[in-house]
Amino acid sequence: MSASKLVKVFYCCSKSVKDEQMRQKLEEHLSILRREGVITSWHRSMISPGKEWESEIDKHLKTSDIILVLISSEFTASDYHWDVLAKQAMEQHKAGTSRVVAILLRPVDDYWKVAFPNIKVLPQDGIPIIKRNPQDTAFKNVAIGIREVAEELTDSTYFIKKVLRWLQVIVILVGNAAVSVFIYVGTVSFSYLFRSSRSRRRNRVSTIPVRLVIFFVLGGTFISFIYQKLNTLEIPLLAPKPIVNSTKSVNTTGWIWIGMVNKTSGSLFVGKKLVLQPSDPKQFPRIEPPIIPSPGTIVTVKYEVNLMKEKSLSGKKIVKLKKGEKLVILKVERFSKVAKNSPYIKLKAQVRKCNSICNK
């Protein structure tokens, strides 16, 4: 998977109101990853009116990179979730096309682990989120775990960095121990040198050989040298660096005008055509294809358009996007302030500018 490709997260959640509320809370905690352009998400409430819900769920499940299975008694009691979605999710997990992660919402019989063997379980301590107080602590742990999975999927050097993180921890622990021993040896040696000759003879059996002192001095110097070399690698060893902060994979994120649709042609839905020839040339569709895109879709800039920092499309301009540039759609929204007599619904989108290796 390309480091510039959005990681698609699929929420596999029961229809229970309690489960849905906790799913929404989890989505709030993952909003930082979405804003950074790391993930895009999909859940059943995003199904457009008139769409066949089973085929929509199946389509998005099979194209997801991370499948979050929200474990609760309602989930395990649902024949559809247990026999259909769980089975398909694990088939993709075993095939390596998706990564399944279990999220423990509420206490349930551990029998669920039979259907989901050898997968990552969050929170890491295995305590259901509902049992934690405050629950935000558990949601934070889950969000960190999902970030790590997304980083593993998109960063080819993830395992190397993970090993180096452990190595540095070990080096620090050994270094601290060596320093403590060195201080102890120095203290004993110093006191020994300033004792009387009679006292030194009496305690000769307990003295520390000079060779041992030299050994610890050289060992401490070597460990210090290795520690400095690890630091010069500039790899985030003690705290994983967010994917979007890496030097070559940062992608500009902001808001653009994408076009308008007719009010008279029904509600908004993915794939609906934009108005191609409005009276004002400034309102021409700015993307190709000229339809309402779904989150995660990659589109092409058709006409020059300003990438704005603010959702209102006013204020600071980030950059002018040129014709032919590739963008990843993160979210599509309508303008809140539109003239009542206008025959159109005006649309804007949050997008991420692709780099040279952006692929569908």
Side-chain angles (χ1 to χ4, degrees), residues 13-28:
C13 179
S14 76
K15 294 181 180 180
S16 163
V17 174
K18 292 182 289 185
D19 286 4
E20 175 60 21
Q21 289 174 344
M22 296 186 76
R23 184 203 65 75
Q24 292 175 7
K25 189 68 176 177
L26 173 58
E27 192 171 22
E28 290 175 6

Side-chain angles (χ1 to χ4, degrees), residues 2 50 71 77 83 100 122 129 148 192 199 217 245 252-253 255 257 260 285 287-288 291 302 311 318 350 352:
S2 167
I71 301 296
D83 297 331
V100 175
L122 298 171
I129 295 174
E148 289 176 352
Y192 170 77
S199 176
V217 170
N245 286 346
T252 308
T253 302
W255 291 83
W257 159 276
M260 305 184 300
I287 60 172
E288 184 68 38
I291 59 174
K302 188 174 183 180
K311 183 189 291 191
I318 299 175
Q350 185 184 36
R352 177 169 62 86

Side-chain angles (χ1 to χ4, degrees), residues 10 59 67 109 135-136 167 173 188 265 270 287 301 313 326 331 342 352 356:
F10 180 94
K59 177 180 72 175
I67 302 171
D109 189 333
Q135 292 181 11
D136 280 336
L167 283 176
L173 292 175
V188 172
S265 57
V270 173
I287 60 172
V301 177
L313 300 187
K326 300 289 186 180
K331 184 192 294 185
S342 174
R352 177 169 62 86
S356 59

Side-chain angles (χ1 to χ4, degrees), residues 184-327:
Y184 172 76
V185 171
T187 303
V188 172
S189 300
F190 183 80
S191 61
Y192 170 77
L193 291 173
F194 284 91
R195 288 179 184 176
S196 64
S197 60
R198 182 178 300 176
S199 176
R200 287 200 296 271
R201 284 195 299 271
R202 188 166 54 247
N203 296 308
R204 183 174 297 170
V205 177
S206 64
T207 59
I208 298 177
V210 174
R211 282 178 295 179
L212 185 61
V213 176
I214 295 173
F215 171 80
F216 280 112
V217 170
L218 293 177
T221 304
F222 174 76
I223 290 172
S224 176
F225 172 79
I226 295 297
Y227 178 75
Q228 291 174 1
K229 286 296 182 183
L230 285 174
N231 280 339
T232 59
L233 293 176
E234 296 183 356
I235 296 176
L237 301 176
L238 294 182
K241 186 185 293 184
I243 298 170
V244 294
N245 286 346
S246 60
T247 306
K248 294 186 179 180
S249 62
V250 174
N251 291 294
T252 308
T253 302
W255 291 83
I256 65 169
W257 159 276
I258 62 170
M260 305 184 300
V261 293
N262 289 310
K263 276 185 179 179
T264 56
S265 57
S267 60
L268 295 179
F269 56 85
V270 173
K272 187 173 183 177
K273 292 183 179 180
L274 302 175
V275 178
L276 297 178
Q277 294 182 330
S279 56
D280 186 352
K282 293 182 180 180
Q283 297 177 339
F284 270 55
R286 291 297 191 268
I287 60 172
E288 184 68 38
I291 59 174
I292 298 179
S294 61
T297 301
I298 296 178
V299 298
T300 305
V301 177
K302 188 174 183 180
Y303 301 106
E304 285 191 352
V305 61
N306 290 331
L307 182 66
M308 308 300 290
K309 183 177 181 181
E310 302 297 332
K311 183 189 291 191
S312 61
L313 300 187
S314 60
K316 184 179 179 180
K317 179 179 74 173
I318 299 175
V319 68
K320 181 181 284 293
L321 301 174
K322 297 180 180 179
K323 181 179 178 180
E325 291 194 66
K326 300 289 186 180
L327 306 173

